[in-house]
Amino acid sequence: MNNPEQITEASLEIVEKPHFYRTGWFVGCCVLLLAAGVFGAYQFRLGQLRARFRAVLEERNRLAREMHDTLIQGCTSVSALLEAHSSLGTRKQMPSMTC
């Protein structure tokens, strides 16, 4: 072994792997998770807006029905009064026509 020509070199390759948080798959998963969070928040807000819109429409419909019923009731009472007035008017006119 004293002969330098017979000495062989041994090499050892050292591979330094990056930490898991510096790998491409981890960054991709983080981007997907962030996109899913943004999409979830968007869907949640959209659901809130739809619920509020539905509540407003229901209230408008309730008010419209109430106003319609009130209007119809008023028209019916006016119609009944007109019929009563016309029937009273014809009774008064009949005796005066015969006299």
Side-chain angles (χ1 to χ4, degrees), residues 4 8-9 13 15-16 19 26 36 41 44-45 47 51 61 66 85:
T8 60
E9 286 186 20
E13 184 177 339
V15 177
E16 186 177 346
H19 295 285
F26 183 79
F44 179 73
R45 179 67 178 143
N61 286 335
E66 185 177 319
H85 184 276

Side-chain angles (χ1 to χ4, degrees), residues 52-84:
R52 185 179 297 168
F53 186 69
R54 188 175 26 246
V56 167
L57 283 180
E58 288 173 1
E59 182 65 16
R60 283 182 185 172
N61 286 335
R62 186 190 67 79
L63 285 174
R65 280 192 306 271
E66 185 177 319
M67 289 172 59
H68 183 263
D69 292 346
T70 304
L71 181 66
I72 293 297
Q73 182 182 5
C75 289
T76 304
S77 62
V78 167
S79 175
L81 287 174
L82 288 174
E83 285 180 26

Side-chain angles (χ1 to χ4, degrees), residues 6-25:
Q6 290 182 345
I7 297 178
T8 60
E9 286 186 20
S11 65
L12 179 63
E13 184 177 339
I14 298 176
V15 177
E16 186 177 346
K17 291 185 178 180
H19 295 285
F20 74 94
Y21 53 85
R22 292 186 179 229
T23 58
W25 64 267

